Amino acid sequence: MKGKIFIIEDEASIVQLIQHNLEKEGFVVSSSLNGNEGLKELKKFEPNLLLLDWMLPDLSGIDICKNIRRDINFKSLPIIMLTAKGEEEDKIKGLESGVDDYVTKPFSFNELSARIKAVLRRSDPKVVANELIFEDLKLDRIEKRVFRSDKEIQLGPTEFRLLEFFLTNPKRVYSRDQILETVWPNNVNVESRTIDVHIRRLRQSINIEGKKELIRTVRAAGYSLI
Amino acid sequence: MKGKIFIIEDEASIVQLIQHNLEKEGFVVSSSLNGNEGLKELKKFEPNLLLLDWMLPDLSGIDICKNIRRDINFKSLPIIMLTAKGEEEDKIKGLESGVDDYVTKPFSFNELSARIKAVLRRSDPKVVANELIFEDLKLDRIEKRVFRSDKEIQLGPTEFRLLEFFLTNPKRVYSRDQILETVWPNNVNVESRTIDVHIRRLRQSINIEGKKELIRTVRAAGYSLI
DNA sequence: TTAATTTGTAATATTTCTGTAACATTAAGA
DNA sequence: TCTTAATGTTACAGAAATATTACAAATTAA
């Protein structure tokens, strides 16, 4: 992940929170606490995406949006709006004024991160990886194919999502609960032991003769991609 | 994550929500529903961080803050204030009175969690660090791996937690009771001599040929990481 | 509709971990 | 040196966690 993200938001603590986490994900981040300043800095910074607070002390989010859309160099800069709860109606206006998505405060960072990637995948696929690669394992999100050492592997939908999940954070250990939350659609209730079975199926599929095991069991903790 | 967090907040449902989630993240959590009680319990509990409601039935958040800042042992205890929306002006006062950060209700748990980690990262990095390092010993919390002199070491779950515990405070001697309280899940009853056995197992695992012993026995007191 | 694939669960097998008791050794003071 | 309390060490049975298998229900493809 090598994209650049600019943040215009007046609450310093929110900026700090987002900036830190995005940087941890590999984005290059810069920010400004007010609109006018922000516009200038942004144009110097040339981000791949802008996170824009709706309510700013000097300029409104809409004004900034319009300004950006008027600038030939930033006509198609993806913008995600940060709105406070209760500004629902405004959201529509926001989308009309050329915003790509919006997130309502308070939001979790994971939610924001997912939105950012979704927007980037549409607007600027180069910035977001469509191919996830780990060692000799390759997963193509667009074509929905998986290869181990260039040999294609057939996976069921659930195993595919499971592997995709592991590939987004190799080496990191995930608990069964975390896996459930992320890999399974919300509001389904699945026994946590069920994951063991899917892990087994995934292992069986991606293991090929002579190559090493790729999924590690960490007792009392969960599983990880090696 | 083995840090200790104390909560003073009168809304039981909020306490429950926070406590449950923080425990899921590995924090040890204790709480009180009112100010005066809370102050006493807090000082026994010795948390790494305090979550403090702004509006309490008996004492105000500010009063508690001041009390804490007056106590030499808690002068630098990080405090995050929980404020209701619309108390914005108060926030300033809060920060002046020695609060490290504040979160406005309603907040998402993820937001709170990020703030907590941000504050701890500043004030007490060992509590939230991903890698704990002491001499040639390295423990990775995310990957759940342990290395001695770059050689990976396999540990059982209990030995892992035990080592993690020692690594957050090297050189400090812990009694068997302290170890039990922190390393073992609450409400389990384990013989105190059981710890000796785990210490032995841990020693055996992390000792490698030609390298020095890392766990020190302090007769009549307990154990420490050198 | 039928056939094929995928899913979740329960039952069973296997592996690994834990706590304890019993015995051995060590340190420190009388 | 002897005594005693504290710690070290070992072995083992039961517990707990994970692996594996089989199967029926659900979903999808043909």
Side-chain angles (χ1 to χ4, degrees):
Chain A
M1 208 83 49
K2 275 280 131 56
K4 295 199 284 183
I5 295 183
F6 197 82
I7 308 172
I8 304 181
E9 154 74 59
D10 63 322
E11 270 193 74
S13 59
I14 294 194
V15 173
Q16 201 191 1
L17 169 82
I18 302 178
Q19 179 149 2
H20 174 261
N21 280 291
L22 284 177
E23 282 170 351
K24 234 172 46 181
E25 294 202 352
F27 290 102
V28 177
V29 184
S30 182
S31 60
S32 171
L33 294 169
N34 75 74
N36 282 308
E37 288 286 312
L39 265 173
K40 282 184 223 153
E41 291 179 37
L42 177 154
K43 294 186 179 183
K44 262 188 280 177
F45 185 66
E46 300 189 349
N48 299 97
L49 184 143
L50 168 64
L51 294 179
L52 179 56
D53 187 15
W54 184 258
M55 297 288 263
L56 289 166
D58 51 350
L59 279 176
S60 87
I62 285 212
D63 294 333
I64 295 186
C65 249
K66 285 184 181 159
N67 182 310
I68 289 173
R69 294 301 181 226
R70 232 180 286 127
D71 186 323
I72 182 80
N73 295 306
F74 298 94
K75 235 187 180 55
S76 57
L77 172 66
I79 300 177
I80 295 182
M81 205 65 119
L82 308 176
T83 74
K85 214 170 159 182
E87 300 173 347
E88 310 282 327
E89 322 89 80
D90 294 338
K91 284 177 189 173
I92 320 295
K93 273 192 260 165
L95 287 169
E96 276 169 4
S97 69
V99 171
D100 296 81
D101 201 355
Y102 57 86
V103 178
T104 309
K105 298 183 210 173
F107 51 80
S108 73
F109 175 76
N110 283 322
E111 186 188 344
L112 178 62
S113 164
R115 298 290 184 87
I116 288 175
K117 284 172 194 162
V119 168
L120 283 177
R121 203 168 291 131
R122 282 201 300 274
S123 64
D124 203 351
K126 273 173 305 201
V127 176
V128 185
N130 289 315
E131 285 193 344
L132 299 172
I133 295 174
F134 177 77
E135 301 194 355
D136 62 343
L137 200 58
K138 191 173 85 182
L139 179 148
D140 189 313
R141 283 177 149 153
I142 305 283
E143 298 182 13
K144 304 270 180 212
R145 288 164 179 271
V146 175
F147 301 87
R148 173 100 197 245
S149 292
D150 295 322
K151 197 172 158 304
E152 182 161 8
I153 286 165
Q154 300 297 335
L155 295 180
T158 304
E159 275 71 57
F160 185 90
R161 292 199 311 275
L162 187 55
L163 181 59
E164 182 182 10
F165 172 68
F166 278 122
L167 279 167
T168 54
N169 270 96
K171 296 188 172 195
R172 179 178 187 129
V173 177
Y174 289 100
S175 71
R176 292 184 175 68
D177 279 348
Q178 289 174 312
I179 295 176
L180 265 189
E181 270 178 34
T182 317
V183 175
W184 267 258
N186 294 331
N187 66 50
V188 277
N189 246 40
V190 191
E191 207 61 38
S192 127
R193 303 251 107 245
T194 299
I195 290 176
D196 301 26
V197 180
H198 283 285
I199 289 284
R200 155 131 173 102
R201 288 169 182 157
L202 181 55
R203 276 178 168 151
Q204 241 167 1
S205 306
I206 66 177
N207 259 29
I208 58 178
E209 195 56 37
K211 297 279 171 180
K212 72 171 179 196
E213 174 73 51
L214 284 179
I215 293 175
R216 171 173 62 121
T217 302
V218 182
R219 198 158 231 260
Y223 299 97
S224 81
L225 190 62
I226 289 296
Chain B
M1 210 82 53
K2 268 281 127 58
K4 295 199 284 183
I5 295 183
F6 197 82
I7 307 171
I8 303 182
E9 154 75 59
D10 63 322
E11 271 191 75
S13 58
I14 293 193
V15 173
Q16 205 189 357
L17 168 80
I18 302 178
Q19 178 149 4
H20 173 259
N21 280 290
L22 285 177
E23 281 170 353
K24 232 174 48 182
E25 293 202 352
F27 290 102
V28 178
V29 184
S30 182
S31 60
S32 171
L33 294 170
N34 74 74
N36 282 307
E37 288 285 311
L39 265 173
K40 283 184 221 156
E41 291 178 39
L42 177 156
K43 295 186 179 183
K44 260 187 283 177
F45 185 64
E46 300 188 351
N48 299 97
L49 183 144
L50 169 64
L51 293 179
L52 179 56
D53 187 15
W54 183 258
M55 296 290 264
L56 289 164
D58 51 351
L59 281 176
S60 87
I62 286 210
D63 295 333
I64 295 186
C65 249
K66 286 184 183 159
N67 183 311
I68 289 174
R69 294 301 182 226
R70 231 180 287 127
D71 186 324
I72 182 81
N73 295 304
F74 298 94
K75 238 190 177 53
S76 56
L77 173 67
I79 300 177
I80 294 181
M81 205 65 120
L82 308 175
T83 75
K85 211 170 162 182
E87 300 172 347
E88 311 282 329
E89 322 90 79
D90 294 339
K91 283 179 189 171
I92 321 296
K93 271 191 263 169
L95 288 170
E96 277 168 7
S97 69
V99 170
D100 295 81
D101 201 356
Y102 57 84
V103 177
T104 309
K105 297 184 210 174
F107 49 81
S108 73
F109 174 74
N110 282 319
E111 185 187 346
L112 177 62
S113 163
R115 297 292 182 88
I116 289 175
K117 285 171 193 162
V119 169
L120 283 176
R121 205 172 298 125
R122 284 201 297 274
S123 63
D124 202 351
K126 269 177 298 212
V127 176
V128 283
N130 292 332
E131 288 195 340
L132 300 175
I133 296 174
F134 177 77
E135 301 195 355
D136 62 343
L137 199 58
K138 190 175 88 182
L139 180 148
D140 188 315
R141 283 171 158 155
I142 304 275
E143 300 183 10
K144 305 265 185 215
R145 291 178 190 272
V146 174
F147 301 86
R148 174 99 196 250
S149 292
D150 295 321
K151 197 172 159 301
E152 182 163 7
I153 287 164
Q154 300 295 337
L155 296 180
T158 305
E159 276 70 58
F160 186 92
R161 292 199 311 274
L162 189 55
L163 180 59
E164 182 182 8
F165 172 68
F166 279 122
L167 279 168
T168 53
N169 267 93
K171 299 192 175 188
R172 170 164 173 179
V173 179
Y174 290 100
S175 72
R176 291 183 174 68
D177 279 346
Q178 288 175 312
I179 295 176
L180 265 189
E181 265 179 41
T182 318
V183 175
W184 267 258
N186 296 331
N187 67 50
V188 281
N189 246 42
V190 203
E191 208 61 39
S192 125
R193 295 286 330 268
T194 298
I195 289 175
D196 300 26
V197 179
H198 282 286
I199 290 284
R200 150 113 176 121
R201 287 170 181 156
L202 182 54
R203 278 178 166 151
Q204 231 166 10
S205 305
I206 66 177
N207 260 27
I208 59 177
E209 195 57 38
K211 296 279 172 181
K212 71 172 178 195
E213 174 73 49
L214 284 179
I215 293 174
R216 173 171 60 116
T217 303
V218 181
R219 198 157 235 260
Y223 298 97
S224 84
L225 190 62
I226 289 297

